[in-house]
Amino acid sequence: MLMTTGHALAQATSAEMPTASSSVAANMSAVVVALPSSGTATPIRPAVPIGQATLTQGVAQLKERYNLSHVWLRTESDAGVGLEAATRGDDVRQMLPVASLSKSVTAIGIALLVQQGKLSLDAKLGDLLDTYSKQHGKPLDPSLRDLTVRRLLAHRAGLATNGYNDPVNGLFSGLAIRRVGGSADFFNYLDAGDAGHSTGKSDFVYSNVSYLLLGMVIEAVSGDEYKHFCETRIFAPLGITGATLPDNWRLLAPFAGWQMSTSALLKVWRVFDIRRPSLLTETTLRTLLLDKQSGPVRADRNVYYTLGVFMVPGAGERSYRISHDGIADFFRTQSTYYTVVEKTVPGDSWALVVSPIPSRGQFGAIQRDVRRIIRQARLAP
């Protein structure tokens, strides 16, 4: 299954947002100083930086504590200093299934089209996909016509959640995807999975179909194929050359199909830093990423789902935490993966991928352990 709401991360709203001063302190390089009996103290430059050794040890601890076969972990400080480690025999640069983190790529694509004036958040699917759907052999279902881009981005489109007619998990563990094949066109799934209709409700229901439809919007508005659009308009400007979309994962592309390294994944998420605009301007990020118009995902928590991420506002207008996680177990003959990314502004960001998938009850504990490991790696002795 894919992760349905990123529960453990979204629920961490009570965690204190780091201040700018604490972030600076955490980014200090670790230096060991030798104190001779006489003369000047001499810095010792260890062959392996102390922070790196701490991270490597932490990865080994995660592997043992949670009975994992593989662990990849990368963290980047607010100043851009990166540390990464993987279990013995694994390559830190390995391309990995990032599952629902693919939604952040699709959301950036939508934001780019909005930024360029080619798309409105209030545009309706009936206007956007009429021609597209006819080209694919079937008119758009009437219940989808009034859905807006904003509602799709926020999972408030009245579409079925992942356990029912979702492209991967629905119809008895992926029967629909087996009917059409992973390399099928996005539109083909709506028939095979009986997913092409909405209840009209606007409450928060996490649905992969929302981002499948947004993938269609990107193709219809840009006139480009989704994969090529992302490669040329998102990855290339960010200097990412290693992201890949296997042919048999094409159907999953907009919501769960991308594979990339933890380093590439954090490069994608740098786009969400409002203090250092890159692909998206500060105005775009303020309008879309920090958008609260749709309301919180739960009435009792200050958590919002915006540009393919869960967003927790901080104390100031340029202070927030974004996060998401996901599960890749689409094809039973392949290894399974659990992926988590968290970015605090200001503060550290980190990406973790582990295999096999831990039990759901362990997700929160793993995330807390990662934060602890990173704090220890950043501290000077």
Side-chain angles (χ1 to χ4, degrees):
M1 290 187 180
L2 292 180
M3 190 61 179
T4 55
T5 56
H7 299 83
L9 291 173
Q11 291 174 358
T13 57
S14 60
E16 184 179 350
M17 297 286 287
T19 63
S21 58
S22 66
S23 179
V24 170
N27 292 331
M28 294 174 59
S29 297
V31 176
V32 179
V33 178
L35 298 176
S37 57
S38 62
T40 305
T42 304
I44 298 174
R45 303 295 181 187
V48 178
I50 291 173
Q52 179 64 59
T54 302
L55 202 73
T56 300
Q57 293 169 2
V59 163
Q61 291 170 0
L62 291 173
K63 178 180 183 294
E64 181 177 358
R65 182 170 300 169
Y66 297 101
N67 194 29
L68 301 168
S69 300
H70 308 278
V71 180
W72 295 266
L73 175 60
R74 180 177 174 86
T75 177
E76 294 177 359
S77 71
D78 205 31
V81 179
L83 294 171
E84 59 187 359
T87 39
R88 186 182 298 275
D90 290 320
D91 187 347
V92 294
R93 297 163 296 180
Q94 185 169 334
M95 286 189 290
L96 303 159
V98 299
S100 281
L101 279 300
S102 300
K103 292 181 176 68
S104 59
V105 176
T106 299
I108 289 172
I110 292 291
L112 281 172
L113 293 173
V114 172
Q115 183 171 275
Q116 294 164 1
K118 298 178 179 180
L119 180 65
S120 166
L121 289 175
D122 297 318
K124 296 180 179 180
L125 284 186
D127 298 322
L128 296 171
L129 296 183
D130 257 356
T131 301
Y132 180 94
S133 59
K134 291 174 183 176
Q135 289 172 344
H136 288 76
K138 186 176 182 180
L140 199 66
D141 187 271
S143 68
L144 301 180
R145 295 186 61 81
D146 287 335
L147 296 180
T148 63
V149 171
R150 189 190 302 275
R151 288 179 64 184
L152 290 168
L153 283 171
H155 290 297
R156 293 179 180 272
L159 299 167
T161 190
N162 293 4
Y164 298 96
N165 58 2
D166 167 82
V168 174
N169 304 321
L171 295 182
F172 305 104
S173 299
L175 176 59
I177 196 172
R178 291 200 296 274
R179 285 176 178 169
V180 297
S183 60
D185 187 275
F186 300 155
F187 201 84
N188 292 350
Y189 176 75
L190 296 179
D191 271 340
D194 190 28
H197 58 270
S198 166
T199 64
K201 295 181 179 179
S202 60
D203 52 323
F204 176 83
V205 177
Y206 188 94
S207 173
N208 288 326
V209 180
S210 287
Y211 276 73
L212 183 70
L213 287 166
L214 287 172
M216 297 181 198
V217 169
I218 288 176
E219 292 192 335
V221 173
S222 70
D224 200 357
E225 191 263 337
Y226 173 84
K227 178 176 182 287
H228 186 258
F229 178 93
C230 293
E231 289 173 342
T232 57
R233 305 288 293 280
I234 299 175
F235 298 139
L238 294 176
I240 297 172
T241 58
T244 185
L245 181 61
D247 287 342
N248 65 328
W249 289 43
R250 185 183 185 281
L251 176 60
L252 287 61
F255 62 88
W258 288 105
Q259 299 184 8
M260 63 189 80
S261 67
T262 53
S263 175
L265 190 51
L266 288 185
K267 279 186 179 180
V268 171
W269 276 49
R270 287 179 205 166
V271 172
F272 296 131
D273 192 334
I274 199 169
R275 303 163 305 160
R276 305 179 180 99
S278 54
L279 285 183
L280 303 181
T281 66
E282 180 174 344
T283 299
T284 299
L285 289 171
R286 195 172 300 283
T287 303
L288 279 78
L289 178 66
L290 303 183
D291 178 31
K292 296 183 181 179
Q293 290 190 37
S294 299
V297 298
R298 279 177 47 179
D300 61 340
R301 293 191 180 275
N302 193 27
V303 182
Y304 301 81
Y305 198 98
T306 55
L307 280 184
V309 298
F310 289 92
M311 189 274 296
V312 181
E317 61 177 9
R318 295 160 72 88
S319 174
Y320 49 90
R321 175 178 292 135
I322 55 175
S323 59
H324 212 298
D325 56 358
I327 291 175
D329 65 347
F330 318 130
F331 306 103
R332 302 299 180 184
T333 58
Q334 298 180 354
S335 299
T336 62
Y337 299 86
Y338 174 60
T339 303
V340 194
V341 177
E342 182 175 277
K343 181 176 181 65
T344 304
V345 177
D348 286 351
S349 59
W350 54 267
L352 172 77
V353 183
V354 303
S355 181
I357 301 167
S359 68
R360 289 182 179 271
Q362 294 177 323
F363 289 173
I366 290 176
Q367 293 157 21
R368 288 190 293 272
D369 279 345
V370 168
R371 296 186 192 106
R372 172 184 55 77
I373 291 166
I374 291 172
R375 285 196 301 270
Q376 291 173 346
R378 295 294 182 193
L379 290 176

